[in-house]
Amino acid sequence: MMARITASVYTSHVPAIGAAIDLGKTGEPYWQPLFKGYEPSKAWLKANRPDAIFLVYNDHANAFSLEMIPTFAIGCAAEFMPADEGWGPRPVPRVIGHPELAAHIAQSVIQQDFDLTIVNRMEVDHGLTVPLSLMCGQPAAWPCPVIPFAVNVVQYPVPSGSRCYRLGRAIRKAVESYDGDLKVQIWGTGGMSHQLQGPRAGLINREWDKAFLDELIANPERLAGRPHIDYVREAGSEGIELVMWLIARGAMSDSGPGGTAPHVQHRFYHVPASNTAVGHLILENR
Ligand code: DHB
Ligand code: FE
């Protein structure tokens, strides 16, 4: 008996989406088409409930200030409380962790030469809670334990796509060496194209986003080779959040030699939500 990664989910994390849910605005004309795109995803998650979610996201200076900036941080605590800028902490359930699986992944991944920061106390912001809300709606408790995995894509230098992709492989190896019959999903969040600052604020690049989704599905290895400056130029300063999707993709079973390409369960793209292009994918291991 061992744990395994059954599927990966990719989604943007726009804070205004969280506010729309929390303030009961999902039926408004502006929001309705966006939430419609996640209806199949909610049904899918109900039918395919994992034992744990490994949730790759970025913190936006809520858990970590400029005083301390881990590149990769794994949440090993038993629970994580919501926090946020802007609208403030969201009225969502606390996140229950999986300390045993998290500690095992930390052990295995660090021994595979990736330097993770162990975090035993941490709050989680919209980067983590908005994807949960999009996939789960407004339950009294989240459907399963969640391991928060925070990646620095806010303060330069940020990790490269290829490092993120290889880290995903190490995470898969870690999960598969866990002694317990667990179904684990890995979620890669953030993106797609957006820029919140400077003269290019409001930038959206549909062609880039479409090509990114196509390549993420069919040729993630090549996609992982793109340097971070391509993201900044083409997808905007905050588009760099997309490297986190490569961690989830690298954990899928075709990312090593001889694997079978995943099944595309759902694909959705919508422009705009707030200042951001929203992209969403569900890939299942065969
Ligand atoms: C927006 C998007 C983000 O990724 C974020 O962290 C904050 C704001 C936006 O589109 O408004
Ligand atoms: Fe963000």
Side-chain angles (χ1 to χ4, degrees):
M1 282 298 160
M2 66 170 197
R4 68 207 150 87
I5 291 177
T6 52
S8 51
V9 174
Y10 309 81
T11 180
S12 308
H13 67 212
V14 185
I17 293 175
I21 294 170
D22 302 338
L23 301 172
K25 295 183 174 175
T26 58
E28 289 185 0
Y30 181 84
W31 290 112
Q32 211 252 341
L34 173 94
F35 289 106
K36 199 154 177 272
Y38 285 83
E39 285 306 320
S41 316
K42 286 198 250 178
W44 173 84
L45 187 62
K46 278 212 172 89
N48 295 276
R49 197 159 72 89
D51 299 304
I53 295 169
F54 190 89
L55 207 157
V56 181
Y57 76 108
N58 71 291
D59 176 67
H60 302 72
N62 289 300
F64 307 114
S65 71
L66 292 182
E67 290 176 7
M68 204 184 296
I69 308 169
T71 302
F72 300 117
I74 184 163
C76 296
E79 64 175 39
F80 306 88
M81 297 303 286
D84 239 308
E85 78 261 37
W87 283 273
R90 299 187 53 221
V92 292
R94 68 184 58 195
V95 172
I96 303 301
H98 198 310
E100 200 181 317
L101 179 60
H104 170 82
I105 293 173
Q107 154 80 19
S108 169
V109 168
I110 290 169
Q111 289 299 316
Q112 293 176 72
D113 300 337
F114 288 91
D115 305 316
L116 306 187
T117 299
I118 312 290
V119 185
N120 291 319
R121 190 189 145 130
M122 177 166 71
E123 293 181 329
V124 287
D125 74 8
H126 67 270
L128 182 131
T129 62
V130 166
L132 281 173
S133 296
L134 279 167
M135 294 297 296
C136 308
Q138 294 176 288
W142 301 120
C144 68
V146 174
I147 298 173
F149 190 84
V151 179
N152 170 40
V153 287
V154 169
Q155 177 64 34
Y156 283 80
V158 298
S160 69
S162 68
R163 182 159 173 79
C164 287
Y165 188 69
R166 281 180 284 127
L167 171 59
R169 280 198 201 172
I171 291 166
R172 173 176 156 221
K173 219 168 148 179
V175 168
E176 290 180 350
S177 65
Y178 181 76
D179 187 14
D181 184 20
L182 295 185
K183 286 183 296 227
V184 179
Q185 288 179 10
I186 184 163
W187 293 12
T189 64
M192 295 193 86
S193 58
H194 63 304
Q195 172 145 347
L196 303 177
Q197 55 195 311
R200 296 203 309 165
L203 177 146
I204 301 273
N205 187 341
R206 293 169 197 258
E207 292 72 34
W208 160 276
D209 290 337
K210 181 183 181 302
F212 186 93
L213 291 169
D214 289 345
E215 270 207 315
L216 188 77
I217 295 166
N219 200 345
E221 193 102 31
R222 188 170 66 199
L223 183 59
R226 277 187 181 269
H228 78 268
I229 196 69
D230 280 16
Y231 290 82
V232 179
R233 193 194 311 107
E234 302 294 333
S237 52
E238 277 64 48
I240 190 66
E241 289 178 347
L242 281 169
V243 292
M244 296 184 289
W245 294 32
L246 286 163
I247 298 177
R249 188 64 183 89
M252 294 296 283
S253 58
D254 67 331
S255 65
T260 311
H263 168 65
V264 182
Q265 172 63 32
H266 185 48
R267 175 173 175 161
F268 177 65
Y269 184 72
H270 177 79
V271 173
S274 188
N275 305 292
T276 300
V278 169
H280 174 42
L281 265 185
I282 299 175
L283 301 182
E284 288 177 328
N285 276 331
R286 291 181 197 266

